[in-house]
Amino acid sequence: MPSSTRAGVRSSDTDAQAQAHAHAHAHATRLARLPVPQHWVVLSINAGLFALLLGFIVKLVPAIAAAELDLVAVASSSRSAPADAIASAIATIFEPLGNVLIVACLFVFLLIRRAPVNAFAVCFVVMVGWLAAQAVKLTVARPRPPVDALDHALLVKAGDTSFPSGHTTFVAALSIGLILLATKRRRLVAVLMSVLVVLVAVSRVYTGAHYAGDVVGGVLMALAAGLAAAGIWNAYGIRVLGLLPFLGRIGPLEPYGDDRPDVQRSTFIPPARR
């Protein structure tokens, strides 16, 4: 083979490897900047305040509280074996320990995929959404549906606050994170996760653990906190990761093509092809 031909083949291979590296880099840092509206601060604050206001309304307005309790009583009395099994599984899987394990598994999975930026971005959005709900629970302090009014309830939790539903908030926040993470099948992920959110919300009323207003508040809190988390991530996320240069050994830390001087360059080198 002539030397000029060999040189051309080597150049073509080099270009292909460079393009593959660029594609991997861009994919691993897709979530370096999350999509948020221009006025995300105002929108997230208003949404959070609306959710908080809803919590106090459903707690303090007697007519609404009575109507919600009637709905819980009807839902919890319409039991069947398959519905009981599904509701019990949801209650167990999305308990606090299960939520932590889910987020941890997602985080480790993305690190294994050499995408620390995506790992931190998604898990930050999910955890902020879930933890915000815990703060609102303490603020509103709405009691759970009373045990003596639910003769047929599957699971009745006493001595705990009710608004918003932690199960529903977590699944809604997880849905936001997975939709952001999805690429080619984002619509499918959005549909499937929306169905899961509805299923979890209905199951929490069905078991007698929550009022309807609690699960609605959970979705609202996930949206408000998720929006706030995305805006905060855009402002500080990459800068904070730049202070942890050891993460660069796992995967790229800076967005592809980003030449900003305030961003710590990673030392990531893609594995050699065998």
Side-chain angles (χ1 to χ4, degrees):
M1 181 182 295
S3 59
S4 59
T5 303
R6 289 196 298 270
V9 171
R10 286 196 299 269
S11 176
S12 178
D13 291 342
T14 302
D15 290 344
Q17 292 177 2
Q19 290 177 0
H21 174 51
H23 176 76
H25 189 150
H27 185 77
T29 58
R30 284 188 310 104
L31 303 185
R33 186 164 187 83
L34 300 175
V36 294
Q38 181 179 1
H39 303 292
W40 64 269
V41 175
V42 175
L43 291 174
S44 61
I45 291 176
N46 287 340
L49 290 176
F50 180 77
L52 192 62
L53 177 62
L54 174 64
F56 284 111
I57 289 175
V58 297
K59 174 186 176 181
L60 300 176
V61 178
I64 295 178
E68 282 197 295
L69 183 58
D70 289 342
L71 178 61
V72 174
V74 171
S76 61
S77 64
S78 305
R79 292 175 53 186
S80 66
D84 285 359
I86 293 173
S88 297
I90 289 173
T92 301
I93 293 171
F94 297 110
E95 283 290 335
L97 178 59
N99 295 343
V100 172
L101 291 175
I102 290 171
V103 174
C105 289
L106 178 60
F107 184 77
V108 172
F109 171 77
L110 291 173
L111 289 185
I112 293 174
R113 296 292 300 269
R114 300 182 181 278
V117 170
N118 294 348
F120 277 94
V122 169
C123 294
F124 179 71
V125 170
V126 176
M127 291 303 294
V128 168
W130 182 40
L131 294 177
Q134 308 312 308
V136 173
K137 273 180 178 286
L138 297 176
T139 303
V140 176
R142 184 190 195 188
R144 289 187 183 271
V147 177
D148 55 0
L150 303 172
D151 297 332
H152 304 285
L154 175 62
L155 299 170
V156 178
K157 298 184 68 173
D160 194 5
T161 52
S162 182
F163 183 94
S165 165
H167 284 64
T168 307
T169 305
F170 175 79
V171 175
L174 181 64
S175 300
I176 294 171
L178 293 181
I179 291 170
L180 290 172
L181 186 62
T183 53
K184 296 180 181 179
R185 299 179 180 177
R186 177 169 292 177
R187 291 185 179 180
L188 177 61
V189 172
V191 170
L192 293 178
M193 293 306 297
S194 297
V195 171
L196 180 60
V197 170
V198 173
L199 183 61
V200 171
V202 171
S203 76
R204 300 310 287 161
V205 177
Y206 173 83
T207 61
H210 283 285
Y211 297 98
D214 300 339
V215 298
V216 173
V219 175
L220 290 175
M221 277 308 306
L223 292 173
L227 178 58
I232 293 171
W233 170 263
N234 288 348
Y236 303 105
I238 297 300
R239 294 183 182 181
V240 172
L241 293 188
L243 301 176
L244 307 171
F246 64 89
L247 291 173
R249 299 176 182 232
I250 300 174
L253 298 183
E254 72 279 358
Y256 180 71
D258 192 342
D259 295 324
R260 292 178 301 164
D262 61 328
V263 176
Q264 175 69 41
R265 297 293 153 200
S266 70
T267 58
F268 171 68
I269 299 176
R273 296 185 177 180
R274 299 183 182 274

